[in-house]
Amino acid sequence: MEKDSATIIKRIVVAIISILIIAYVVSVGLKANFTQIKTETANIMTVSDSIPTKGYFIRDEKIITYDGSGVISYLLNDGEKISKDEAVADVYSDTQAANDKKLIDKLQQQISDLEQLDNSVNSILMAPDDLDKNISSNLSKAKVSASEKNFTEADKNITSALYSINQRQLVTGKTESYEAKISELQGKVSALKKKYENNMPNSINSQKTGYFSSTVDGYETYYNTSTLESIKVGDLDSSKIKKKDVGKNVIGKTMEGVYWYVACEVTADEAISIKESPSLSVDIPIANNHNISVELHCINQKDKNSDAVVILKGSYMNSEMINLRREDISIIKNTYNGIYVSRNAVHDQQITETVTDKNGKETTETKSVKGVYILVGNELLFKQIVPVYTGEGFIICMQNPKESDLVTDEIGVLKAYDDVVVEGANLYDGKIIDRTSS
């Protein structure tokens, strides 16, 4: 009897241990099945389909020379528009005269600003706090511009800050009028003008209408717009393009017209994609210029299977663009905006739906749908996606696809900021995830 009791107890213990082992294994399996899931937020992103290359900038450029002596003071900044016979610089007898002229211009601008403030004292609507923000912002911009050696822009920022300071003086009542200050400045201007009224500067004029640059690099005459169609693959090699010595009498140049061109070597396939692109732009990192709109001027190619020289035409101009020559650029063929998802989050699912024909007969139809699993609460849901661009390791999906873009209307569509599953095993629509376990 005791032996039978011991046997029963032993069997019960073994059964309990077996149950515990099974429960442990199931628990581990469930945890592995349910909790090993990684998600990412589906954010909005803009990407470009681009071709990195080397661009050689070509312009019709006319050298400006001056054979006399004296101190040259430029009247224009690089990249500014200029008309034929317009003065690009004045020539003074010495440095002091040149500096006096710059000071006169600065004082006259201050006089103009103060007169404007006096005339608008009753119409200034900005509060002192807003003016303080303007002052702080312009001083910060001036600091950044100076650090980038853009002293012209820094000077503009400082002038704007001074204008806001003077506005604040009027708004807060610390100054009733700038009449006395204007009179003082006018006296200084008159005194300075008397110093060289009998020694007026000579002017250096532009012979062409276009854009001015004080920089001459020696490549101005190597290529021009008349040679664009004759540039072949290999012609843009830096070892073949020789610069000319810049004479001591050269003081700048004028870029004729409003268009510049950039020549780039590309592969045959790239040439085709550029030709077929509905819109084109260029990214020029060194000039901090992005997505500058351009047009395709021509493609120089031996045959359709050979590499090519693509010539693009643009018109955007500033102080950096006017002096570009041979730079790293990217030709942007298309820009896509949509929902970003990792490629490993994308799955193909077979969807079976009932279809009714025109005679009212119902049949089932199976379709392959591309989509992702998203986590809503504790449940996985399969959502359809409509890819518009596939990159390296990611896909950009349409934000608000039309019904005609969808494979089926039986399931929902991925939305921005959904919680997308990028890692996980045994995924299926409707699966419940135990997120309390770890």
Side-chain angles (χ1 to χ4, degrees), residues 242-431:
K242 305 298 182 183
K243 67 184 296 185
K244 292 185 177 181
D245 292 334
V246 178
K248 293 182 179 180
N249 64 341
V250 173
I251 64 101
K253 64 187 177 187
T254 302
M255 184 196 103
E256 300 177 40
V258 297
Y259 295 111
W260 47 262
Y261 299 82
V262 58
C264 316
E265 288 192 9
V266 298
T267 66
D269 288 341
E270 289 170 340
I272 293 172
S273 66
I274 290 170
K275 186 177 182 179
E276 294 177 347
S277 178
S279 64
L280 294 168
S281 60
V282 291
D283 178 19
I284 312 171
I286 195 171
N288 198 29
N289 289 320
H290 310 287
N291 288 321
I292 299 173
S293 180
V294 293
E295 298 175 11
L296 176 62
H297 177 72
C298 65
I299 297 177
N300 302 334
Q301 195 173 20
K302 187 177 180 180
D303 56 64
K304 65 179 182 179
N305 297 317
S306 62
D307 290 346
V309 172
V310 170
I311 311 289
L312 305 173
K313 179 176 76 171
S315 60
Y316 174 77
M317 182 57 64
N318 63 12
S319 58
E320 289 85 16
M321 293 296 299
I322 190 69
N323 293 318
L324 296 177
R325 188 62 72 188
R326 184 178 174 83
E327 313 293 347
D328 289 322
I329 70 169
S330 290
I331 302 171
I332 301 172
K333 297 178 293 182
N334 290 294
T335 299
Y336 304 91
N337 180 268
I339 304 173
Y340 175 99
V341 295
S342 298
R343 290 189 71 175
N344 56 1
V346 179
H347 303 269
D348 287 310
Q349 188 173 109
Q350 301 301 312
I351 301 294
T352 301
E353 55 186 4
T354 301
V355 179
T356 304
D357 62 20
K358 61 182 180 181
N359 297 320
K361 183 180 179 180
E362 291 186 348
T363 58
T364 58
E365 189 175 280
T366 300
K367 300 177 180 178
S368 180
V369 181
K370 193 176 293 294
V372 296
Y373 291 99
I374 69 169
L375 191 58
V376 180
N378 286 355
E379 185 179 3
L380 289 185
L381 299 177
F382 185 78
K383 296 296 181 182
Q384 189 173 180
I385 63 171
V386 180
V388 293
Y389 178 76
T390 300
E392 187 174 347
F394 69 92
I395 291 176
I396 300 298
C397 309
M398 195 177 293
Q399 288 190 62
N400 299 298
K402 300 176 182 177
E403 186 174 339
S404 58
D405 297 318
L406 303 176
V407 177
T408 176
D409 56 4
E410 291 292 311
I411 56 177
V413 180
L414 176 68
K415 299 294 184 184
Y417 313 116
D418 278 345
D419 209 11
V420 178
V421 177
V422 294
E423 288 183 15
N426 191 29
L427 305 177
Y428 56 86
D429 192 50
K431 180 177 182 178

Side-chain angles (χ1 to χ4, degrees), residues 91-94 97 193-202:
V91 183
Y92 296 87
S93 57
D94 53 45
K193 282 184 174 181
K194 284 182 180 180
K195 290 176 62 177
Y196 67 93
E197 62 184 355
N198 296 321
N199 186 22
M200 297 301 290
N202 294 320

Side-chain angles (χ1 to χ4, degrees), residues 2 6 8 15 56 60 81 101 118 130 134 146 167 183 190 197 199 243 251 315 379 419:
E2 292 180 1
I8 293 171
Y56 189 92
D60 283 332
K81 285 185 177 180
K101 178 58 169 65
D118 265 358
D130 293 328
N134 279 357
Q167 276 187 310
S183 180
S190 297
E197 62 184 355
N199 186 22
K243 67 184 296 185
I251 64 101
S315 60
E379 185 179 3
D419 209 11

Side-chain angles (χ1 to χ4, degrees), residues 11-165:
R11 288 177 178 174
I12 293 173
V13 170
V14 170
I16 292 173
I17 292 173
S18 299
I19 291 171
L20 291 174
I21 291 173
I22 292 171
Y24 174 76
V25 170
V26 170
S27 175
V28 170
L30 287 174
K31 286 183 178 181
N33 195 28
F34 290 140
T35 63
Q36 290 183 3
I37 283 183
K38 182 180 178 181
T39 62
E40 288 180 354
T41 301
N43 290 311
I44 302 296
M45 186 173 292
T46 299
V47 299
S48 299
D49 185 10
S50 60
I51 300 171
T53 184
K54 183 76 74 173
Y56 189 92
F57 287 82
I58 300 169
R59 301 168 282 263
D60 283 332
E61 297 166 306
K62 179 68 176 178
I63 300 296
I64 303 173
T65 61
Y66 176 71
D67 294 314
S69 61
V71 177
I72 295 174
S73 177
Y74 290 101
L75 303 175
L76 297 171
N77 296 313
D78 285 5
E80 284 195 63
K81 285 185 177 180
I82 187 167
S83 300
K84 182 182 179 181
D85 298 326
E86 181 181 349
V88 300
D90 284 336
V91 183
Y92 296 87
S93 57
D94 53 45
T95 303
Q96 184 60 53
N99 290 337
D100 285 346
K101 178 58 169 65
K102 288 181 179 179
L103 181 55
I104 288 172
D105 291 342
K106 191 170 184 178
L107 292 174
Q108 287 179 328
Q109 182 61 53
Q110 289 181 22
I111 291 170
S112 176
D113 289 344
L114 293 176
E115 287 176 338
Q116 182 179 344
L117 282 169
D118 265 358
N119 293 331
S120 62
V121 62
N122 295 321
S123 60
I124 300 175
L125 302 177
M126 297 185 72
D129 286 347
D130 293 328
L131 291 168
D132 287 339
K133 290 178 183 177
N134 279 357
I135 295 165
S136 178
S137 174
N138 278 296
L139 290 176
S140 297
K141 290 177 182 177
K143 184 177 180 181
V144 172
S145 296
S147 68
E148 295 174 347
K149 299 185 187 280
N150 189 347
F151 300 112
T152 300
E153 190 64 27
D155 191 55
K156 289 180 181 178
N157 297 141
I158 292 172
T159 299
S160 296
L162 180 61
Y163 190 85
S164 293
I165 290 171

